[in-house]
Amino acid sequence: MTTFGRRRTVWLAALIVAANGFIPAIWILLTSLKTESELMRMPITIMPDAPTLQNYVRVFVDQPILTFLWNSIAVAALSTALCIVVSALAAYALVRLRLPAPGAILSALLAVAMVPLISLVVPLFQTMRTLDLLNTWPALVLPYAVLSMPVCVMVLVSFFQDIPNDLENAAMIDGCTRAGALWHVVIPLTAPGVFTAAILAFVNAWDEFLLALTLSSRVAKRTLPVGITLYQGEFSFPWPIISAALVVAIVPVCVIIAVFQDRVVGGLTSGGMKG
């Protein structure tokens, strides 16, 4: 294949991926600006005839979406912080300490990541009920952190391997402990990888539905994905209102990715070059 052909193939693949991500989001946004009668009208129209923000008003009036939003932000942020701390320690141990069969440990982590989530629901529910943690943030923070750890550890291992031992040795000669060398030398030098792992953990916790539905039955403790289901009735699905709620749920993640775009892209690019 010629260089032009390869370039055209890459652009075509990128266009397909972009369309797969953007078209559903644009469709949801346009749906949120329609009335329910317009949405049900045939033939289907793409653009709303008379865009309205009434659906967004009802999103904040009909259900306590600010409570759902706060729960999601708190749970995702806490689980991400816990996941990154533990993953950084685990990745550092696999790279720097003389552990037996580090490759086998990474393979085991990958195997754990492939376990279907639905198979863990009953054991987690029983565990949280025994610990009296149902309908609390820790009931979600702890599982989310653990579920994201395998991917975060593998991401951080690929970055830690490129940090020369001499830098840590120099820091320890100057008085740093090994933990101090990790936090003051290794982590700053691998900031793109840390941000990449953090974004992956945060999005995983933000989007999770099954555990949030199972472990939080009280309305005041529900996260945004579960709270959005409350907008539907027993026999009705107000899609414009649900679409408006989905837009509200998408915005925080878009803001985070936009703010940390350079670091995330740098981390993904570096990881791809290493791979």
Side-chain angles (χ1 to χ4, degrees):
M1 183 181 293
T2 63
T3 302
F4 176 75
R6 286 196 298 268
R7 184 175 302 174
R8 185 169 57 181
T9 302
V10 170
W11 276 104
L12 179 61
L15 181 62
I16 293 174
V17 172
N20 182 63
F22 282 105
I23 290 179
I26 294 173
W27 186 271
I28 290 172
L29 176 61
L30 295 176
T31 301
S32 70
L33 299 175
K34 296 180 179 180
T35 61
E36 194 164 354
S37 59
E38 181 182 354
L39 184 65
M40 299 303 174
R41 190 173 60 196
M42 297 298 292
I44 298 174
T45 58
I46 297 177
M47 300 299 296
D49 292 340
T52 177
L53 296 177
Q54 186 61 32
N55 295 318
Y56 290 91
V57 175
R58 291 193 59 185
V59 162
F60 288 92
V61 172
D62 291 355
Q63 297 291 342
I65 194 170
L66 291 178
T67 299
F68 304 151
L69 189 61
W70 168 243
N71 289 336
S72 288
I73 292 174
V75 168
L78 291 173
S79 64
T80 298
L82 177 60
C83 177
I84 293 302
V85 170
V86 178
S87 298
L89 294 173
Y92 185 81
L94 289 170
V95 173
R96 289 292 187 261
L97 304 183
R98 296 181 179 178
L99 299 179
I105 296 176
L106 283 174
S107 299
L109 284 174
L110 180 61
V112 169
M114 298 175 66
V115 175
L117 180 60
I118 194 169
S119 65
L120 304 175
V121 171
V122 174
L124 282 173
F125 180 84
Q126 293 177 341
T127 300
M128 296 304 169
R129 183 174 61 180
T130 302
L131 297 175
D132 196 23
L133 291 178
L134 292 178
N135 293 302
T136 64
W137 287 350
L140 298 177
V141 169
L142 297 175
Y144 288 171
V146 172
L147 291 172
S148 296
M149 279 179 195
V151 173
C152 292
V153 168
M154 286 185 283
V155 169
L156 293 176
V157 162
S158 67
F159 281 87
F160 288 179
Q161 287 174 339
D162 281 359
I163 303 299
N165 287 334
D166 294 342
L167 295 177
E168 297 166 64
N169 293 335
M172 287 187 283
I173 290 174
D174 288 339
C176 272
T177 61
R178 183 172 288 275
L182 169 63
W183 298 118
H184 296 294
V185 177
V186 178
I187 295 297
L189 291 176
T190 57
V194 174
F195 274 93
T196 301
I199 292 295
L200 293 174
F202 187 91
V203 172
N204 182 52
W206 184 268
D207 292 340
E208 203 283 324
F209 177 83
L210 184 59
L211 291 182
L213 177 65
T214 306
L215 303 178
S216 298
S217 58
R218 296 178 186 172
V219 173
K221 295 298 181 180
R222 287 184 170 177
T223 56
L224 203 50
V226 179
I228 290 175
T229 63
L230 297 178
Y231 289 95
Q232 69 184 44
E234 185 176 359
F235 302 107
S236 64
F237 292 86
W239 293 116
I241 299 176
I242 294 175
S243 297
L246 290 173
V247 172
V248 173
I250 293 171
V251 167
V253 176
C254 293
V255 170
I256 291 174
I257 293 178
V259 171
F260 299 108
Q261 178 182 4
D262 293 340
R263 291 184 179 273
V264 173
V265 172
L268 293 174
T269 305
S270 299
M273 293 175 63
K274 295 182 183 86

